[in-house]
């Protein structure tokens, strides 16, 4: 009998305490964390000032306006390429990368300004760079086969360039390589560079990019490599790109006449074209300059491309290619 009474007492106590615990859990208010530390408060104020204040501050710090910046963040979040963590949001992760590439800053500078450790900045930089690279098939598209509006609406170019879909050229980006490799990467510049090939349409959007070749490589060699790749450059039947005299005349690529005045400054003042070849070169140059404008806008927007980088060659190679892929200077910025 004593054993039975003891068991009943234990059971009753167990049910009593379980019910009290459940009632306490239901009635207990939600957990509130302690006040944010001074460092976290400074970081949040800094972020709000950058992309929650106005477009001027956002462009100055991130080289993008607020609307396209949040559009990029939502795209990365929607495709599950980046995730909000308990410590950092997607907006902060993307903002750190844009600040690095926009002003060519060291991670230690970001560490001081953003109140993050160097390891954290380095980790998120690599994650965001990889995520942006995964957008290449969504943001970079081959040109349309229709006649561009810029050509169609101009009597200078239509109908002579009605089948032209863009312009191709190469640009040199600083390459940080070991001393034993610098000879191959030193070409026309007095410092090591990588020769980046790009195709641009007449809306200043990049339609193809190939990065990683040494600065001493010839433009024609890089173009041949781009055409031989499985996912390389493709030209539709009957269409062509404008190229400079460094490329050979072949189906799909139209260079100017050699040994004839070509550049716009050669026709300044009263030096008008005197024959059909000079007239063709003048109009060819005035249309092909689009690719030079695209390179200029990109390098002016993101200073890491036009300055000595603090990152190794592998990272800078991916970065040079990814920055073109994202169309950050035209597609997101909404020019």
């Amino acid at each position: 009998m004593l054993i039975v009474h003891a068991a009943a007492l234990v059971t009753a106590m167990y049910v009593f305490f379980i019910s009290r615990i459940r009632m306490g859990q239901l009635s207990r208010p939600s957990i509130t964390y302690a006040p944010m530390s001074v460092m976290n408060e400074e970081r949040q104020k800094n972020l709000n000032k950058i992309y929650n204040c106005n477009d001027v501050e956002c462009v100055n710090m991130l080289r993008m306006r607020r609307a396209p910046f949040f559009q990029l963040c939502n795209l990365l979040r929607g495709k599950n390429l980046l995730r909000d963590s308990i410590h950092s949001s997607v907006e902060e992760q993307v903002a750190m990368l844009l600040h690095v590439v926009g002003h060519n800053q060291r991670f230690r500078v970001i560490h001081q300004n953003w109140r993050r450790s160097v390891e954290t900045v380095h980790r998120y930089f690599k994650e965001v760079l990889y995520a942006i690279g995964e957008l290449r098939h969504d943001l970079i598209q081959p040109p349309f086969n229709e006649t561009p509006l810029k050509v169609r609406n101009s009597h200078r170019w239509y109908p002579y360039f009605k089948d032209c879909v863009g312009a191709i050229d190469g640009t040199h980006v600083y390459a940080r390589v070991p001393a034993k490799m610098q000879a191959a990467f030193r070409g026309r510049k007095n410092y090591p560079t990588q020769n980046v090939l790009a195709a641009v349409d007449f809306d200043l959007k990049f339609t193809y990019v190939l990065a990683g070749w040494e600065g001493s490589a010839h433009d024609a060699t890089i173009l041949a490599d781009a055409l031989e790749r499985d996912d390389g450059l493709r030209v539709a039947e009957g269409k062509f790109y404008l190229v400079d005299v460094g490329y050979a005349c072949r189906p799909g690529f139209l260079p100017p006449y050699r040994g004839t005045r070509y550049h716009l400054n050669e026709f300044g003042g009263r030096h008008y074209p005197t024959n059909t070849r000079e007239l063709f070169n003048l109009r060819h140059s005035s249309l092909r300059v689009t690719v030079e404008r695209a390179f200029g806008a990109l390098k002016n927007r993101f200073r890491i491309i036009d300055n000595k980088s603090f990152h190794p060659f592998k990272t800078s190679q991916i970065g040079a290619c990814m920055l073109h892929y994202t169309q950050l200077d035209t597609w997101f910025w909404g020019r």
Side-chain angles (χ1 to χ4, degrees):
M1 293 295 293
L2 292 176
I3 295 176
V4 172
H5 286 295
L9 180 61
V10 171
T11 303
M13 294 178 60
Y14 175 78
V15 173
F16 174 76
F17 283 114
I18 289 297
S19 62
R20 291 297 300 271
I21 291 174
R22 290 180 176 177
M23 292 177 59
Q25 289 178 349
L26 295 176
S27 61
R28 186 176 57 187
S30 59
I31 299 176
T32 57
Y33 293 95
M36 297 177 63
S37 64
V38 176
M39 184 176 297
N40 289 337
E41 292 179 357
E42 292 180 356
R43 181 189 307 115
Q44 195 60 42
K45 290 180 181 179
N46 185 35
L47 293 175
N48 290 332
K49 183 180 179 181
I50 291 175
Y51 53 71
N52 284 330
C53 183
N54 53 63
D55 285 337
V56 175
E57 191 68 26
C58 193
V59 170
N60 290 338
M61 297 297 293
L62 307 182
R63 313 307 296 146
M64 295 177 66
R65 292 184 295 182
R66 294 174 65 248
F69 169 75
F70 286 111
Q71 184 180 1
L72 173 61
C73 295
N74 293 334
L75 182 62
L76 294 171
R77 184 185 285 109
K79 290 185 173 294
N80 204 25
L81 296 173
L82 292 177
R83 298 179 180 179
D84 297 302
S85 67
I86 192 174
H87 301 293
S88 177
S89 63
V90 171
E91 285 75 15
E92 181 183 1
Q93 300 170 25
V94 176
M96 283 193 290
L97 176 131
L98 291 178
H99 190 68
V100 170
V101 301
H103 302 277
N104 192 26
Q105 296 284 4
R106 291 179 179 268
F107 291 157
R108 296 190 180 276
V109 177
I110 306 300
H111 148 73
Q112 182 65 27
N113 295 340
W114 296 70
R115 301 297 190 268
R116 291 292 188 187
S117 66
V118 176
E119 187 276 333
T120 301
V121 176
H122 180 266
R123 173 160 42 88
Y124 284 134
F125 179 86
K126 294 180 64 177
E127 291 180 2
V128 177
L129 185 64
Y130 173 80
I132 290 179
E134 292 300 305
L135 297 177
R136 59 187 180 273
H137 298 300
D138 298 316
L139 302 184
I140 184 168
Q141 299 291 335
F144 297 104
N145 293 331
E146 300 177 357
T147 303
L149 292 177
K150 183 176 181 179
V151 176
R152 185 187 305 171
N153 298 333
S154 175
H155 67 278
R156 294 187 300 164
W157 302 315
Y158 189 85
Y160 316 108
F161 298 98
K162 64 178 181 179
D163 294 324
C164 181
V165 293
I168 291 180
D169 200 4
T171 185
H172 287 262
V173 178
Y174 187 94
R176 184 181 177 186
V177 295
K180 61 180 180 180
M181 300 174 58
Q182 290 186 2
F185 284 84
R186 184 175 286 109
R188 64 185 185 184
K189 305 288 186 179
N190 58 358
Y191 50 85
T193 62
Q194 57 171 312
N195 197 346
V196 181
L197 175 74
V200 180
D201 64 13
F202 298 114
D203 293 328
L204 295 182
K205 293 183 179 180
F206 292 91
T207 58
Y208 181 78
V209 177
L210 177 59
W213 272 88
E214 301 89 341
S216 60
H218 196 275
D219 292 343
T221 303
I222 304 176
L223 178 60
D225 178 47
L227 295 174
E228 294 175 357
R229 292 173 177 259
D230 295 335
D231 58 346
L233 180 65
R234 298 292 180 266
V235 185
E237 184 70 24
K239 302 297 180 178
F240 62 88
Y241 285 95
L242 298 180
V243 295
D244 60 18
V245 293
Y247 301 90
C249 183
R250 54 189 299 181
F253 304 95
L254 181 64
Y257 285 104
R258 298 176 182 271
T260 306
R261 287 191 299 173
Y262 176 72
H263 294 285
L264 296 178
N265 56 4
E266 298 178 3
F267 294 95
R270 298 183 179 180
H271 299 283
Y272 300 106
T274 58
N275 52 59
T276 56
R277 291 195 173 192
E278 288 189 353
L279 179 60
F280 172 83
N281 278 8
L282 176 61
R283 295 182 176 179
H284 184 287
S285 176
S286 61
L287 189 58
R288 196 194 66 84
V289 75
T290 304
V291 66
E292 304 293 346
R293 292 173 53 204
F295 283 143
L298 187 68
K299 292 183 177 181
N300 185 58
R301 184 73 51 77
F302 301 103
R303 303 305 300 171
I304 193 174
I305 300 180
D306 200 32
N307 289 273
K308 182 178 180 180
S309 174
F310 303 111
H311 305 281
F313 174 70
K314 185 177 181 180
T315 301
S316 62
Q317 175 186 354
I318 298 175
C321 195
M322 294 305 105
L323 286 175
H324 289 77
Y325 281 150
T326 55
Q327 304 291 320
L328 292 177
D329 62 327
T330 55
W331 196 84
F332 279 118
W333 209 65
R335 298 181 354 141

